[in-house]
Amino acid sequence: MIWEQFLCGDDEAYTYIYKQYSQAMYAYGMHFTPDSGLVEDCIQEVFVKIYQNRKHLQSTDNIKLYLFIALKNNLFNVFRKDITYSQIDTIEPVFTAEYTIEDEIINNEKEQFLNEKMVHMLDILSPRQREVIYYRFVEGLSYEEICQIMNMNYQSTQNLIQRSLKKLRSTFSKVELQFVLLLLVNIRLGCS
């Protein structure tokens, strides 16, 4: 409903959308590049574009997903223009497992150990596998939403998630894996 109000010209709805989603967009964008200035610029560009083009935008039932896709596309356009943001072997941006939430989580040694364990486990995954695990367990996106944001079909998305989990299971014990997945879900829910 807030999106519809924005599309109809309600500036308060636009302000609400910005306040509600800009920090999540920033955290999301920082998974693709350590350049915080670039992420901030791309977020601003997304919001300027949606404001300027709001009369032509489609309705959406998931504003966060819409904004994440817009930000990712914006970042990738910058990456395509500047090869320094890409991996040499794949010519595509790398989704990193270094979570920007570390500063919030690490308040004592126990939490630091847990966070290092999680990052270590995710480091064994390819950038694409880390990305899909992030969407599924940290952002809590559905398979359909992951398909949209990663531009993949449903079966490929399921396969990628299953291969990622299988790789984690083959390297770590069941208890360790359950612990890390629970930690990721808690991060999403703000329970850490």
Side-chain angles (χ1 to χ4, degrees), residues 22 24 29 32-33 37-38 43 46 83 85 91 125 131 135 144 146 151 165-166 191:
S22 61
F32 292 101
T33 177
L38 173 64
I43 291 169
V46 166
I83 197 71
Y85 289 109
I91 313 292
L125 300 176
E131 185 176 2
Y135 293 141
E144 292 83 6
I146 295 169
N151 197 23
L165 292 173
K166 184 177 180 181
C191 302

Side-chain angles (χ1 to χ4, degrees), residues 8-27:
C8 291
D10 186 338
D11 287 340
E12 287 181 25
Y14 175 74
T15 302
Y16 173 83
I17 292 168
Y18 180 83
K19 287 179 180 178
Q20 184 72 22
Y21 297 104
S22 61
Q23 289 204 356
M25 291 172 70
Y26 179 81

Side-chain angles (χ1 to χ4, degrees), residues 25 28-29 32-33 38-39 41-43 45-47 49-50 57 64-82 85-86 93 95 128 131 135 145-152:
M25 291 172 70
Y28 173 65
F32 292 101
T33 177
L38 173 64
V39 172
D41 290 346
C42 287
I43 291 169
E45 189 171 330
V46 166
F47 277 100
K49 282 182 181 178
I50 66 168
L57 297 179
K64 182 178 180 180
L65 179 64
Y66 183 92
L67 294 173
F68 272 27
I69 292 171
L71 177 60
K72 183 178 180 181
N73 290 339
N74 200 328
L75 283 167
F76 280 33
N77 287 337
V78 171
F79 297 152
R80 281 187 208 97
K81 293 176 187 172
D82 189 348
Y85 289 109
S86 299
F95 187 89
R128 201 134 168 93
E131 185 176 2
Y135 293 141
E145 292 167 333
I146 295 169
C147 292
Q148 289 178 356
I149 202 164
M150 293 187 75
N151 197 23
M152 295 171 61

Side-chain angles (χ1 to χ4, degrees), residues 38-166:
L38 173 64
V39 172
E40 290 169 357
D41 290 346
C42 287
I43 291 169
Q44 291 303 320
E45 189 171 330
V46 166
F47 277 100
V48 167
K49 282 182 181 178
I50 66 168
Y51 188 83
Q52 291 173 340
N53 298 315
R54 66 181 163 184
K55 292 181 181 179
H56 307 290
L57 297 179
Q58 299 293 319
S59 295
T60 182
D61 58 349
N62 191 332
I63 298 171
K64 182 178 180 180
L65 179 64
Y66 183 92
L67 294 173
F68 272 27
I69 292 171
L71 177 60
K72 183 178 180 181
N73 290 339
N74 200 328
L75 283 167
F76 280 33
N77 287 337
V78 171
F79 297 152
R80 281 187 208 97
K81 293 176 187 172
D82 189 348
I83 197 71
T84 59
Y85 289 109
S86 299
Q87 281 185 305
I88 300 300
D89 58 342
T90 63
I91 313 292
E92 67 181 40
V94 177
F95 187 89
T96 63
E98 295 176 18
Y99 289 92
T100 56
I101 51 152
E102 272 185 24
D103 295 334
E104 297 170 22
I105 294 176
I106 303 174
N107 293 326
N108 61 43
E109 289 181 21
K110 180 180 177 190
E111 288 177 344
Q112 183 175 2
F113 169 77
L114 299 177
N115 192 54
E116 287 171 2
K117 183 87 166 160
M118 177 183 64
V119 170
H120 171 68
M121 288 181 79
L122 295 177
D123 277 345
I124 70 161
L125 300 176
S126 71
R128 201 134 168 93
Q129 288 173 324
R130 284 192 299 268
E131 185 176 2
V132 78
I133 292 295
Y134 171 82
Y135 293 141
R136 186 70 180 132
F137 294 101
V138 176
E139 290 300 330
L141 298 181
S142 69
Y143 282 98
E144 292 83 6
E145 292 167 333
I146 295 169
C147 292
Q148 289 178 356
I149 202 164
M150 293 187 75
N151 197 23
M152 295 171 61
N153 67 43
Y154 190 87
Q155 187 61 51
S156 297
T157 300
Q158 278 188 318
N159 292 346
L160 183 59
I161 290 173
Q162 292 307 315
R163 281 194 308 271
S164 302
L165 292 173
K166 184 177 180 181

